[in-house]
Amino acid sequence: MTVLQRLRPDHAAALLAFERENRAYFAASVPDRGDDYFTSFEARHAELLAEQAAGAHHFHVLADGDGAVLGRVNLVDVDGGSAELGYRIAERAAGRGLATSGVREVCAAAFSEYGLTVVRARTTSDNTGSRAVLERTGFVETGATTLMGKPALRFTRELSEAGG
């Protein structure tokens, strides 16, 4: 069983393990976080928690029954009732619907707990898995852009009480 949890101080070790275990896997589709991310992880984790406490971002982990992190689903750059969605799922957990369920849960929380009305997302045009997650969770394609120097698409989801 996987549970969506708001990021907490005690997630640090499991989150670092998740990022290390999946570094090469993630780097194939998103920019690598760089060595500094890993060597300064504790300080960065504390910064993220402070930014979350200030309401600038809402960070979440998808954790299994043993507390291992299988994914992240985040809302960043909260402003004027909207935020940008980002997510990543561990290689060993990919293809099991975790991204879809995590995005659905975060969108519901975005409306009911964080007071957001719009969530935006971007993905490269060749990332068919991410595009499918966005489409399954009610996002609508709104235009073209670039991401990491590659052709990409923008998506938007209007939130409501009925469907988060």
Side-chain angles (χ1 to χ4, degrees):
M1 180 173 166
T2 305
V3 178
L4 181 78
Q5 301 172 346
R6 190 162 166 91
L7 187 65
R8 303 184 311 251
D10 64 320
H11 286 129
L15 187 55
L16 179 57
F18 163 81
E19 292 290 351
R20 280 187 175 140
E21 289 166 13
N22 293 283
R23 185 175 183 180
Y25 174 66
F26 294 146
S29 59
V30 296
D32 184 64
R33 294 192 185 277
D35 292 339
D36 270 359
Y37 176 85
F38 296 94
T39 58
S40 304
F41 184 83
E42 288 183 33
R44 181 66 184 132
H45 188 69
E47 288 172 16
L48 293 178
L49 290 168
E51 292 168 359
Q52 178 172 265
H57 311 292
H58 302 288
F59 302 109
H60 306 86
V61 298
L62 290 163
D64 69 12
D66 296 325
V69 173
L70 298 177
R72 304 179 75 164
V73 185
N74 300 321
L75 297 167
V76 299
D77 300 332
V78 174
D79 185 39
S82 71
E84 180 92 10
L85 173 74
Y87 50 91
R88 51 178 54 197
I89 302 297
E91 183 174 21
R92 68 184 173 99
R96 297 188 346 210
L98 292 179
T100 299
S101 64
V103 167
R104 281 188 181 129
E105 283 187 67
V106 164
C107 285
F111 182 81
S112 66
E113 297 175 34
Y114 311 139
L116 302 179
T117 56
V118 176
V119 176
R120 300 173 314 279
R122 296 174 297 158
T123 188
T124 55
S125 299
D126 63 353
N127 190 336
T128 56
S130 189
R131 288 173 56 193
V133 167
L134 294 171
E135 291 165 2
R136 277 194 300 268
T137 57
F139 283 79
V140 175
E141 185 181 325
T142 57
T145 189
T146 57
L147 190 61
M148 304 175 342
K150 297 165 95 176
L153 299 169
R154 290 188 310 257
F155 291 81
T156 301
R157 178 169 172 194
E158 302 284 332
L159 304 177
S160 67
E161 194 167 353

